[in-house]
């Protein structure tokens, strides 16, 4: 006889609808904020947040460099997949960190270097602007590709071609991007070196990067204005993978596992707490209050929840383990709220797997999640790291689970003991650019929150009223009993949409 047999069925997000509340001037669409905590941070609760409640899944077919850059610029983050070598993954993190950073820690050169050597260095590094410093890192000047011609000046020294400090505009001890922008605007230059009060070089700020920051008001960044970068790890090779990711300046880690309620994950979290106490780590996935408590007590700063619901997932069929995502959120939220009452620590919950569109997202949030993770949704976009294919005259992109045979090909020993797969490989309809899709999704979430009469996700948690719907009322809620000559697949049974 089992220890517990629950006869109440577990429920999915599809089975719930939100009841509207009073919409006021304070909760009109344009007043709604989608800001949400990313992980618990002890000394500064606002240190890590998202500007939209959506992140992309740590999957080979979803989250690479392009997704990492684009999503962070739009206010979310992509979890760079761990099913690759640590050095490949760290390389991806580094590329996102280096992308249009606000305050760039520059590669410097010495004034007696030959222009020929500089040309070689520029080729190797892939950039062409170098500050010139002395042995004490004191700024002497700057040299860019406009200052020499390698066919003519190869034998000259950098000091003979550089722009000298006295002819440049230099910022002293500035750490505010707006202030740097104001100086650059007046300066006629495209780059601003920032030095400390002793004249030692700290950063470069590029005009084009500032423009990029100003064009992306929702972007999420670290204290040096570099894009926030998150990556997955596993419970097998963390002792070598984590140092490589930290070296690449990763901000937050997530332990990637379909079942996170294990001592292996507990041990990984404890090792991280001991060796990297300042690095926030998301634990998961769990689907019970006990699982939540275990991960948080082991050191998790946020907990990812859900099992068996992913579009490519066959965990439930293969192992018989799992729970409907709505029930998972309800149960784990109860544990999270109790933990908050007991300790004062608010641990964000991430609903993961099977979330299709805006209505699923807002229902997951209303039930208690702080943000959601999606794979299939993002795999359809230009920014996912896969090539488009045409199948039956439809443009598609491949999408495969991390537990599928395809994803497991990379590993050396990780899954060698498993004799079965937990995920499948298929195709999703190509959807275009992320920037052309996300606004529609976000606007639906905001419209829904406005209907409920709330303007923040925190308020949604407090005020939302939800109701289970019958199969017939779901049918009633769909298009029915009309003839649509240009039958738009968007409203057909497969929901490809946003
Ligand atoms: P989707 O958004 O419905 O496509 O689900 C994505 C989520 O499915 C991921 O964030 C993972 O939690 C989960 N997942 C990814 N790969 C697999 C797999 O191969 N088997 C089971 N679950 C998976």
């Amino acid at each position: 006889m089992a220890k517990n047999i629950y006869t109440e069925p577990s429920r999915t997000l599809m089975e719930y609808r939100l009841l509207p509340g009073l919409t006021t001037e304070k909760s009109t669409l344009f007043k709604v904020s989608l800001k949400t905590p990313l992980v618990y941070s002890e000394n500064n609760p606002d240190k890590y947040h998202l500007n939209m409640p959506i992140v992309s899944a740590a999957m080979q077919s979803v989250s690479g460099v392009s997704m990492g850059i684009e999503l962070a610029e739009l206010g979310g983050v992509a979890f760079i997949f761990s099913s690759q070598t640590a050095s490949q993954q760290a390389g991806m993190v580094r590329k996102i960190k280096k992308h249009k950073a606000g305050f760039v820690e520059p590669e410097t050169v010495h004034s007696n270097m030959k222009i020929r050597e500089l040309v070689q260095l520029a080729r190797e590094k892939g950039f062409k602007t170098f500050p010139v410093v002395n042995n004490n890192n004191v700024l002497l000047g700057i040299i860019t590709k406009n200052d020499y011609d390698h066919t003519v000046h190869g034998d000259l020294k950098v000091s003979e071609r550089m722009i000298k400090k006295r002819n440049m505009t230099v910022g002293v001890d500035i750490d505010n991007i707006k202030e740097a922008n104001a100086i650059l605007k007046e300066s006629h230059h495209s780059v601003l070196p920032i030095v400390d009060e002793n004249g030692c070089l700290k950063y470069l700020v590029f005009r084009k990067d500032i423009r990029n920051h100003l064009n992306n008001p929702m972007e999420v960044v670290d204290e040096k204005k570099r894009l926030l970068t998150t990556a997955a790890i596993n419970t097998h090779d963390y002792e070598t993978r984590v140092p490589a990711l930290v070296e690449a300046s990763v901000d937050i880690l997530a332990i990637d596992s379909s079942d996170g309620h294990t001592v292996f994950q507990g041990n990984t979290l404890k090792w991280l707490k001991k060796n990297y106490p300042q690095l926030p780590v998301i634990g998961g996935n769990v689907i019970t209050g006990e699982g939540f408590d275990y991960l948080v007590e082991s050191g998790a700063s946020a907990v990812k929840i859900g099992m068996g619901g992913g579009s490519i997932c066959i965990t439930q069929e293969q192992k018989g383990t799992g729970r409907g995502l709505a029930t998972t959120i309800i149960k784990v939220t109860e544990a999270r709220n109790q933990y908050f009452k007991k300790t004062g620590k608010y641990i964000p919950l991430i609903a993961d797997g099977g979330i299709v569109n805006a209505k699923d997202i807002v229902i997951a949030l209303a039930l208690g999640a702080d943000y959601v993770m999606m794979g299939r949704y993002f795999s359809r976009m230009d920014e996912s790291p896969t090539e488009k294919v045409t199948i039956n005259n439809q443009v598609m992109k491949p999408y495969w689970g991390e537990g599928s045979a395809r994803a497991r090909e990379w590993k050396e020993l990780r899954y060698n003991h498993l004799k079965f797969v937990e995920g499948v490989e298929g195709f999703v309809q190509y959807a275009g650019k992320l920037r052309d899709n996300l606004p529609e999704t976000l606007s639906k979430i905001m419209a829904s929150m406005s209907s409920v009469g709330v303007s923040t996700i925190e308020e949604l948690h407090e005020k939302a009223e939800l109701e289970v719907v019958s199969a017939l009322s779901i049918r009633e809620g769909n298009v029915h009993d009309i003839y649509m000559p240009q039958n738009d697949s968007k409203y057909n049974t497969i929901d490809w949409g946003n």
Side-chain angles (χ1 to χ4, degrees), residues 56-59 256-258 285 304 306 308-315 352-356 373-377 379 399-404 407-408 421-424:
S56 72
M59 297 171 74
D256 189 22
S257 169
S258 61
N285 283 16
K304 199 145 66 68
S311 56
I312 33 53
C313 175
I314 50 170
T315 301
D352 175 28
I355 293 164
V356 174
M373 174 174 271
M374 296 197 285
R376 186 208 63 92
Y377 177 94
S379 67
Y399 179 45
W400 61 94
E402 285 297 289
S404 68
R408 287 178 181 181
V421 292
E422 279 188 56
V424 298

Side-chain angles (χ1 to χ4, degrees), residues 465-476:
E465 291 190 90
L466 297 116
E467 193 167 68
V468 173
V469 284
S470 70
L472 284 179
S473 69
I474 292 174
R475 183 173 179 273
E476 182 187 62

Side-chain angles (χ1 to χ4, degrees), residues 63-98:
S63 297
V65 174
S66 304
M67 192 64 78
I69 291 171
E70 198 70 353
L71 250 180
E73 285 188 348
L74 292 166
V77 288
F79 282 83
I80 302 302
F81 58 94
S82 67
S83 49
Q84 57 181 326
T85 64
S87 68
Q88 286 167 337
Q89 192 187 18
M92 288 189 173
V93 168
R94 209 168 281 120
K95 277 191 183 152
I96 300 172
K97 277 291 174 199
K98 288 228 158 117

Side-chain angles (χ1 to χ4, degrees), residues 401-421:
E402 285 297 289
S404 68
R406 179 166 180 177
R408 287 178 181 181
E409 270 167 21
W410 78 276
K411 50 77 205 113
E412 295 88 47
L413 38 86
R414 192 170 163 202
Y415 293 107
N416 279 354
H417 59 291
L418 286 182
K419 302 276 182 279
F420 62 94
V421 292

